[in-house]
Amino acid sequence: QVQLVESGGGLVQAGGSLRLSCAASGSIFSTNTMGWYRQAPGKQRELVATITSGGSTNNADSVKGRFTISRDNAKNTVYLQMNGLKPEDTAVYYCKVHFSDYRYDYDYWGQGTQVTVSS
């Protein structure tokens, strides 16, 4: 089984910064993609940023230039450095790990961490 534990959310003023962390444990394939998604009240969950075990990243247009995703493969941990936060960044942020074998895709989610940006 795979477990993801997120930390680092909180309340911050607009323009401030937060750093989210997500530590994965369990049976995880060495080749995987970890990422951050968010869900605001009344909205669908959306991609924020992903990073492969090889270091390739993908960022949503809404966070480019403000958020940076990184990872420590030795610790199976992914980070999201969020700078220049805006009220519209307020959401529950979820960590996800994805990997696959020749038959199945595996997706595991964390429990989510609340980020609130006040204006």
Side-chain angles (χ1 to χ4, degrees), residues 3-9 19-24 35-37 45 78 92-96 108-114:
Q3 288 189 326
L4 301 172
V5 179
E6 299 135 335
S7 61
R19 188 190 194 213
L20 305 183
S21 300
C22 172
W36 291 96
Y37 296 73
R45 191 172 298 187
V78 64
V92 177
Y93 284 69
Y94 296 91
C95 173
K96 187 181 94 168
Y108 295 92
W109 293 88
Q111 80 285 356
T113 185
Q114 177 70 47

Side-chain angles (χ1 to χ4, degrees), residues 33-92:
T33 299
M34 299 187 77
W36 291 96
Y37 296 73
R38 66 186 181 187
Q39 188 166 18
K43 295 188 176 181
Q44 289 189 332
R45 191 172 298 187
E46 63 177 4
L47 179 145
V48 176
T50 61
I51 184 167
T52 68
S53 47
S56 297
T57 61
N58 179 42
N59 298 281
D61 288 342
S62 59
V63 306
K64 284 181 179 177
R66 300 188 298 124
F67 292 8
T68 302
I69 190 169
S70 62
R71 63 185 290 165
D72 183 334
N73 287 337
K75 297 180 179 179
N76 274 333
T77 299
V78 64
Y79 306 96
L80 186 68
Q81 179 64 45
M82 304 186 292
N83 299 328
L85 282 160
K86 305 175 181 180
E88 51 263 45
D89 295 318
T90 295
V92 177

